[in-house]
Amino acid sequence: MIVLFLLIAAVFVGLHWYVWRRLVRDTTARGSAPRRIGTVALVVLPGLTLLAVRDDLPGIPFRLEGVVDWPGFLWLAVFLYVVLALVAGEAVRPLLLRALARRDVKRAEPVTAPPGTGAAPAPADDVPAPALLARRVFVSRVVGGSAAAVALGTVGYGTAGLLRGPQIKRLTVPLAKLPRGAHGFRIAVVSDIHLSPLLGRDFAQHVVDTINSTQPDLIAVVGDLVDGSVENLSTAVAPLAQLRARHGSYFVTGNHEYFHDARRWVGVVRDLGLHPLENARTELPGFDLAGVNDVRGESEGQGPDFARALGDRDPARASVLLAHQPIVIDEAVRHGVDLQLSGHTHGGQLWPGNLLFGLTNPTVAGLDRYGDTQLYVSRGAGAWGPPVRVGAPSDITVVELASGQA
């Protein structure tokens, strides 16, 4: 663990040195104000990032944590795309230098004397060192400025998209065992709201209003509702009491609930009118709805128990399982689940995060089939860490069940 921590720290520091070198040292004069400002920024911003990744900062009131979290997490996102853009710029840099060198050579070519004058052609002079330095600085400014512009534009667009709120997706999922009477049953699936110092009560209210606007038959909140303690976020989650669905609202824990006393949060959710499914199931018209605790709960003796949630049920009935992490799909298949609804991945949240999540999750986003079980993974409504989404817009999905007998 210590070796891993030291390796991560070395990479973090090394990449910041690389960014400082390309954006500050190579583009500014030694001792100049721009160099001093850039150097200070590349010390302060990563420091804020390290503070932001800690929950419940000691000595800082919760309401003020956003003052640290906003710049700290936004820098983390900007830093990611600055590094990617600068690395891409390394391929462009020699091409620009070569083009400028050819231009300078042409300018320095000897001038041919007019015929009949007897004058000898003027010799081409070597390009002086100051000109070479100016050329390198110019290219560094072009590449560095372009990288910064791309990073800031990408993060700005991704932040605005998240703050606008989740999109509504609609998906029809056929279930062979679903009776005709339940054909068209609509489940509003929302996961990973991640209420925090960054996304508070106003964001929760927007999510609730969006869900209610779909007029679902049932609402499924599939984990990672909060990033904070009950004391700090009880006001932020209050709008969930306004959720309205004909067959009620249900909740299962995500891994982040276990960072902040999941037992207490389950009680709060229940008080707000949602029905926690802690390794439990309920019979609804046409199908069984089950839910399992997140695998993170295993460290506290509260992990998923599929036998308890799905055992002794009528296998002739259709079944829908709420499970925060898609990695439990194998257990769902073994227990004859027809449809598993999950979240957790955020769809990658920040490209190319989808590629990384694909290494550890069977499905990153969307609908897939595993044996006789279908798995739908929502990209989630909020965000963890940077309040930014790139290539993975947030969503609330209305899953409409279709009867195979209809």
Side-chain angles (χ1 to χ4, degrees):
M1 182 62 71
I2 295 178
V3 173
L4 178 61
F5 173 80
L6 293 175
L7 178 61
I8 293 173
V11 171
F12 186 75
V13 172
L15 287 176
H16 273 87
W17 176 85
Y18 169 70
V19 170
W20 173 81
R21 177 187 170 191
R22 285 308 194 195
L23 290 188
V24 180
R25 193 196 72 174
D26 291 353
T27 62
T28 61
R30 180 178 299 177
S32 65
R35 177 169 293 194
R36 288 196 296 268
I37 293 171
T39 300
V40 169
L42 281 169
V43 172
V44 172
L45 288 172
L48 291 175
T49 296
L50 295 176
L51 289 174
V53 296
R54 294 190 57 185
D55 292 327
D56 299 332
L57 291 173
I60 299 180
F62 183 77
R63 292 183 179 181
L64 296 180
E65 283 192 28
V67 176
V68 173
D69 289 357
W70 272 105
F73 278 129
L74 284 177
W75 169 247
L76 187 59
V78 170
F79 174 64
L80 168 65
Y81 291 109
V82 162
V83 170
L84 292 177
L86 286 174
V87 170
E90 297 297 344
V92 178
R93 186 182 301 273
L95 300 179
L96 290 176
L97 287 170
R98 198 171 299 125
L100 291 175
R102 284 198 299 266
R103 184 200 65 179
D104 292 343
V105 167
K106 287 182 178 179
R107 287 181 176 179
E109 284 179 353
V111 179
T112 304
T117 62
D125 296 325
D126 291 335
V127 179
L132 294 174
L133 177 61
R135 185 191 302 162
R136 287 195 292 268
V137 171
F138 174 77
V139 169
S140 293
R141 287 175 177 174
V142 169
V143 174
S146 299
V150 167
L152 290 172
T154 300
V155 172
Y157 179 81
T159 302
L162 175 67
L163 296 181
R164 278 196 301 269
Q167 302 173 354
I168 297 175
K169 289 182 59 180
R170 298 184 184 275
L171 176 71
T172 299
V173 180
L175 299 181
K177 300 176 185 176
L178 192 73
R180 291 185 179 185
H183 181 77
F185 192 99
R186 289 172 299 116
I187 304 174
V189 182
V190 60
S191 71
D192 303 280
I193 301 175
H194 286 285
L195 298 177
S196 67
L198 302 181
L199 303 176
R201 185 186 179 105
D202 290 344
F203 186 78
Q205 185 66 61
H206 183 71
V207 170
V208 167
D209 293 342
T210 303
I211 294 172
N212 286 342
S213 71
T214 68
Q215 299 181 322
D217 296 307
L218 183 145
I219 298 168
V221 182
V222 196
D224 278 8
L225 172 63
V226 292
D227 275 318
S229 65
V230 171
E231 289 79 10
N232 290 330
L233 289 173
S234 57
T235 301
V237 301
L240 271 69
Q242 303 168 26
L243 289 172
R244 296 289 180 267
R246 187 157 57 102
H247 292 280
S249 302
Y250 292 83
F251 170 82
V252 292
T253 55
N255 55 308
H256 281 246
E257 273 73 54
Y258 291 97
F259 300 148
H260 304 285
D261 197 342
R263 285 289 187 194
R264 290 192 66 190
W265 273 118
V266 167
V268 169
V269 166
R270 182 179 288 110
D271 292 341
L272 291 171
L274 284 76
H275 306 289
L277 288 175
E278 298 183 272
N279 298 323
R281 80 173 177 275
T282 183
E283 291 188 2
L284 296 171
F287 67 96
D288 294 337
L289 179 71
V292 291
N293 296 343
D294 185 69
V295 294
R296 176 75 186 187
E298 291 175 348
S299 61
E300 303 178 20
Q302 303 174 33
D305 188 335
F306 285 84
R308 179 179 167 192
L310 295 163
D312 300 327
R313 72 175 197 87
D314 182 359
R317 284 174 56 86
S319 59
V320 175
L321 173 70
L322 308 183
H324 177 64
Q325 298 195 43
I327 59 172
V328 300
I329 183 62
D330 291 339
E331 285 291 335
V333 172
R334 278 194 285 270
H335 286 82
V337 169
D338 296 290
L339 172 64
Q340 176 179 318
L341 301 174
S342 297
H344 182 63
T345 67
H346 300 199
Q349 184 169 328
L350 295 172
W351 183 90
N354 57 314
L355 304 178
L356 298 177
F357 273 91
L359 300 176
T360 57
N361 290 275
T363 297
V364 176
L367 183 67
D368 274 329
R369 177 178 288 276
Y370 297 86
D372 293 330
T373 301
Q374 296 180 80
L375 168 64
Y376 177 73
V377 181
S378 167
R379 291 191 298 251
W384 180 84
V388 184
R389 281 179 171 264
V390 177
S394 58
D395 66 49
I396 292 168
T397 306
V398 179
V399 175
E400 182 172 321
L401 304 181
S403 171
Q405 305 170 26

